[in-house]
Amino acid sequence: MMGMYFDTTVLMNNILFENWNTTTAGGVVLASFLSFFFTALFEGLKTLKSYVLLLRKSDPFDKESIKKRGLQSRESQIDLVSQNSNNQTKGLKQWRGIMFTVESVLNLVSFFYAYLLMLIVMTYSVWLVLAVIIGAGVGYFFFHPISENLVVKFAAKPSPPKPVSCCSTTADASKGSQEQPKEHARLLQASVRDYQGIK
């Protein structure tokens, strides 16, 4: 049985699972490498979760046509969006429901993953604790820039104009276009908060 204090022994029994034991320096090196690898992957899991969050908050429909609409007049945008708004709204709800389900599963996996890493640290092996700490740093170094690039990429995407009724004025339409940067900023802040919250 391992003691409740940090030590550098190579004799460890039942690390996470039954019969995962170390009796030699080579076994400790292997266990440390696996701990390092799994911790680095945990940072990748955070990035994946942030990506799914961004997908859920984005509009996956008519990306090409939305891009083309930026070159069209505001009136043609209003007509095009009004024709397809009902179908897009229904499809968007389904899409976000699916993405939220995926996000929930990833949250469950990350929760379980974090507890496994905690149990590795609670072996009180100096080598495994160092492996987890270094793995967290290396994983953050490689995966956090990817997460930031995804946030910037999704925040920079133009949002499809909101449907405008026949009685809406041009001022209302221009107001909606002015609110789009604010929506992008809110998306960016929410993504950063979510990423930081799961650390």
Side-chain angles (χ1 to χ4, degrees):
M1 182 177 179
M2 290 174 282
M4 301 295 288
Y5 52 86
F6 290 104
D7 59 56
T8 57
T9 182
V10 298
L11 300 176
M12 292 183 284
N13 299 319
N14 302 325
I15 306 173
L16 287 186
F17 306 104
E18 187 177 5
N19 295 326
W20 183 9
N21 307 318
T22 61
T23 56
T24 62
V28 173
V29 170
L30 177 60
S32 299
F33 175 78
L34 291 175
S35 300
F36 166 85
F37 181 73
F38 287 138
T39 306
L41 282 185
F42 182 61
E43 295 295 328
L45 183 61
K46 293 180 183 178
T47 300
L48 179 60
K49 185 180 175 183
S50 296
Y51 176 63
V52 173
L53 172 68
L54 292 170
L55 284 177
R56 179 168 63 86
K57 291 181 176 295
S58 67
D59 186 356
F61 302 104
D62 295 331
K63 291 183 178 180
E64 293 298 324
S65 62
I66 291 171
K67 190 179 297 184
K68 294 178 182 177
R69 286 177 214 156
L71 304 176
Q72 297 175 355
S73 65
R74 182 68 186 178
E75 290 75 14
S76 62
Q77 292 183 32
I78 292 171
D79 293 339
L80 184 58
V81 172
S82 298
Q83 292 173 3
N84 300 326
S85 61
N86 292 333
N87 292 334
Q88 287 188 3
T89 300
K90 183 178 180 181
L92 186 59
K93 288 182 179 179
Q94 294 176 347
W95 165 260
R96 288 181 173 172
I98 294 172
M99 287 297 101
F100 183 72
T101 302
V102 174
E103 188 180 347
S104 299
V105 172
L106 288 176
N107 186 67
L108 176 66
V109 172
S110 64
F111 188 81
F112 177 71
Y113 208 143
Y115 269 98
L116 288 181
L117 295 178
M118 181 196 71
L119 291 174
I120 290 177
V121 172
M122 289 183 66
T123 61
Y124 292 96
S125 170
V126 171
W127 314 118
L128 297 187
V129 171
L130 287 175
V132 170
I133 293 173
I134 296 172
V138 172
Y140 185 88
F141 179 82
F142 282 104
F143 289 107
H144 186 66
I146 297 175
S147 180
E148 286 187 333
N149 290 336
L150 287 173
V151 170
V152 173
K153 179 181 178 181
F154 275 81
K157 285 184 178 180
S159 300
K162 296 180 180 180
V164 181
S165 63
C166 60
C167 301
S168 298
T169 62
T170 306
D172 295 332
S174 61
K175 181 180 179 181
S177 62
Q178 293 173 358
E179 290 178 350
Q180 289 183 2
K182 295 180 181 179
E183 179 63 26
H184 295 159
R186 285 194 295 269
L187 173 63
L188 178 61
Q189 293 172 356
S191 301
V192 172
R193 283 196 303 268
D194 182 83
Y195 184 84
Q196 294 175 345
I198 58 180
K199 288 182 180 181

